[in-house]
Amino acid sequence: MAKTNVLDENYEQLQKKIQSLNEKWRSEVSEVTLKGMENLAASSPIIPQLEMSINIDQYQTFIEELLQLIGQNNTEITAAAEKIKEIATSDILQKWFTEAIAVNHFYFKNFAEENNLPEWLPIFAAEHAARPYLQAATAELEPRLKEINHNHGCHSCGEPARFAVINKKGKKELTCPRCLHMWEEKKISCAHCGSEDKVVILKVEGDESAEIHACHKCKGYTKVIDTRKMFKKESPTLLDVKSIHLDYIAQEKGFGISDDEGHETH
Ligand SMILES: [Zn+2]
Ligand SMILES: [Zn+2]
């Protein structure tokens, strides 16, 4: 694994395009219908406890647009996209949506195997195309999310908390890359298990604004970027992508290595 220059130019460009596509989708998803609010447990995450109805044709369009974007100049992806178009009935897409919300790696791995598709592709497409709905649902749930005494990770969708900024008030604010929910946490505490005394701060040579908060108790880590030290304001999602070198550093030191249920590796 290269220690420097890990931020490949093409990778960043592609991530930016996926990001713009996501923003376009978000503007097209006006609202989602959430069922099961009355039976919500007091614990988080909330969204996996609810039933979300969406427009499946629209979800299908999102998947096709994404495959078209990442399939440019890549015949393997283009062929896989054709195949998905043939086999994905609305029942299958409904299942994709549900399993994408639950981040069910097992289901998608089997689906890829059975249909002879690249292993990473179905979950990548299904999960990205589900994000605008997650984001719309999270925006609707915001008042409720504020009341919740949350568990660790995103209390809307359950994603592990991997990225935070130090905001204008000097507080550590975590942002979920999937549903865009934001919340503040104690500065020195593990965003995964809550430990306060087992957290170490790793500094990055030559970069004043970046830190890695790594936990010796659960082996999780969070990247923390001090945006007060930056001239240019950028969205947390983009800062997350741009700081991928911090993920390499943390993972090289043995933190955040994904197990079978983790959804860390992409
Ligand atoms: Zn989330
Ligand atoms: Zn921890």
Side-chain angles (χ1 to χ4, degrees):
M1 192 182 292
K3 281 185 187 146
T4 50
N5 277 333
V6 287
L7 190 53
D8 180 76
E9 186 99 0
N10 293 330
Y11 175 81
E12 194 182 329
Q13 284 308 323
L14 183 63
Q15 288 295 328
K16 275 188 184 164
K17 285 183 190 160
I18 293 175
Q19 172 86 14
S20 317
L21 191 57
N22 185 284
E23 278 160 20
K24 178 183 90 79
W25 292 341
R26 179 67 186 89
S27 69
E28 289 166 16
V29 175
S30 45
E31 59 181 51
V32 289
T33 313
L34 297 166
K35 278 185 224 148
M37 288 293 284
E38 61 290 350
N39 301 320
L40 270 186
S43 64
S44 67
I46 293 186
I47 287 179
Q49 302 177 50
L50 297 170
E51 202 186 304
M52 207 190 298
S53 0
I54 62 158
N55 177 342
I56 282 295
D57 293 337
Q58 186 188 44
Y59 180 57
Q60 179 167 26
T61 308
F62 291 172
I63 289 172
E64 285 171 7
E65 285 175 356
L66 178 64
L67 291 174
Q68 199 180 9
L69 171 67
I70 63 173
Q72 282 163 8
N73 310 320
N74 185 321
T75 47
E76 194 197 7
I77 296 178
T78 314
E82 279 305 311
K83 184 141 191 200
I84 289 172
K85 216 170 180 174
E86 270 166 43
I87 55 182
T89 59
S90 34
D91 281 352
I92 287 180
L93 289 169
Q94 184 62 57
K95 181 84 179 147
W96 271 32
F97 181 74
T98 313
E99 301 305 343
I101 296 297
V103 202
N104 185 344
H105 280 264
F106 182 74
Y107 167 80
F108 286 105
K109 190 170 181 267
N110 278 345
F111 187 93
E113 260 168 34
E114 278 166 20
N115 295 290
N116 209 9
L117 295 163
E119 189 182 312
W120 61 274
L121 190 63
I123 190 162
F124 177 84
E127 205 276 322
H128 272 82
R131 287 185 186 190
Y133 302 101
L134 266 179
Q135 291 159 9
T138 299
E140 276 174 46
L141 291 166
E142 210 56 62
R144 174 116 197 180
L145 287 165
K146 286 211 164 60
E147 290 165 13
I148 274 200
N149 222 346
H150 78 87
N151 297 337
H152 302 289
C154 173
H155 32 306
S156 183
C157 79
E159 181 78 1
R162 276 298 188 67
F163 184 80
V165 296
I166 302 296
N167 64 22
K168 273 185 275 178
K169 291 179 280 173
K171 293 255 169 69
K172 179 160 113 182
E173 184 176 78
L174 287 110
T175 299
C176 174
R178 288 179 83 205
C179 74
L180 304 183
H181 180 55
M182 293 181 189
W183 70 100
E184 286 178 0
E185 260 178 27
K186 245 194 220 173
K187 217 180 234 174
I188 309 299
S189 69
C190 172
H192 304 280
C193 74
S195 172
E196 290 180 22
D197 53 348
K198 293 276 189 283
V199 177
V200 289
I201 296 181
L202 311 173
K203 303 261 188 194
V204 184
E205 222 176 290
D207 189 350
E208 284 286 289
S209 62
E211 286 177 351
I212 300 162
H213 292 193
C215 175
H216 279 294
K217 190 174 169 206
C218 71
K219 292 279 161 197
Y221 72 88
T222 307
K223 301 184 286 185
V224 183
I225 307 287
D226 194 338
T227 53
R228 296 171 303 176
K229 294 178 184 162
M230 304 183 94
F231 297 111
K232 205 170 133 200
K233 294 287 164 233
E234 283 178 308
S235 76
T237 333
L238 203 56
L239 288 172
D240 186 15
V241 170
K242 282 189 159 180
S243 59
I244 193 171
H245 57 290
L246 301 179
D247 293 285
Y248 286 109
I249 294 171
Q251 288 170 19
E252 230 172 32
K253 292 187 187 294
F255 295 101
I257 301 300
S258 138
D259 53 26
D260 282 342
E261 346 163 36
H263 29 288
E264 332 278 310
T265 47
H266 292 284

